Amino acid sequence: QVQLVESGGGLVQAGGSLRLSCAASGRTFSSYAMAWFRQTPGQEREFVAYISWSSISTDYLDRVKGRFTISRDNAKNTMYLQMNKLKPEDTAIYYCAARNGVTRTSGDDYDFWGQGTQVTVSS
């Protein structure tokens, strides 16, 4: 079992930056593939980024490439999402997720989820 808690969301102006954190409980965090997803009201959940257990493999939604960076610190049981050059369309609730296996872009493949953190980007 893995419990996930996101933090770092907030209100920021367009062009600004935020750093999201996802703190995980459990001794096996380092063996899990991790990802960030986001969702806005009335929209489907959207893949944002994933990172393999070793950090060797990462991938991003095309619309955030070059602006967002996913990383993890297995010694601290924490994953991060550095978000730069934020745009109003990045406004959403951001969720972190974990799965015991290789990375995937579909939320249906993830076993554990956090409660989400709100990111609001004003124009």
Side-chain angles (χ1 to χ4, degrees):
Q1 285 282 346
V2 176
Q3 292 185 325
L4 305 173
V5 179
E6 302 96 335
S7 62
L11 173 64
V12 64
Q13 289 188 329
S17 298
L18 283 174
R19 188 196 197 198
L20 305 184
S21 298
C22 174
S25 64
R27 295 175 296 173
T28 58
F29 171 80
S30 60
S31 66
Y32 282 81
M34 303 290 295
W36 288 98
F37 291 81
R38 66 187 183 186
Q39 190 169 23
T40 56
Q43 301 295 318
E44 292 190 357
R45 181 175 53 199
E46 179 177 59
F47 163 78
V48 176
Y50 69 52
I51 187 166
S52 62
W53 68 270
S54 64
S55 301
I56 290 177
S57 177
T58 61
D59 198 13
Y60 298 88
L61 176 71
D62 284 346
R63 285 182 279 119
V64 308
K65 284 182 179 177
R67 300 189 296 121
F68 291 9
T69 303
I70 191 171
S71 62
R72 65 190 294 167
D73 185 338
N74 288 341
K76 296 181 177 180
N77 279 12
T78 304
M79 176 180 65
Y80 305 97
L81 185 69
Q82 178 66 43
M83 304 186 295
N84 298 328
K85 300 179 182 179
L86 282 161
K87 303 176 180 180
E89 51 263 43
D90 294 319
T91 295
I93 299 175
Y94 283 71
Y95 299 90
C96 66
R99 71 183 305 269
N100 190 4
V102 298
T103 50
R104 291 281 189 270
T105 59
S106 171
D108 291 340
D109 291 323
Y110 286 79
D111 305 305
F112 306 101
W113 293 83
Q115 83 289 349
T117 185
Q118 176 72 48
V119 171
T120 304
V121 184
S122 63
S123 58

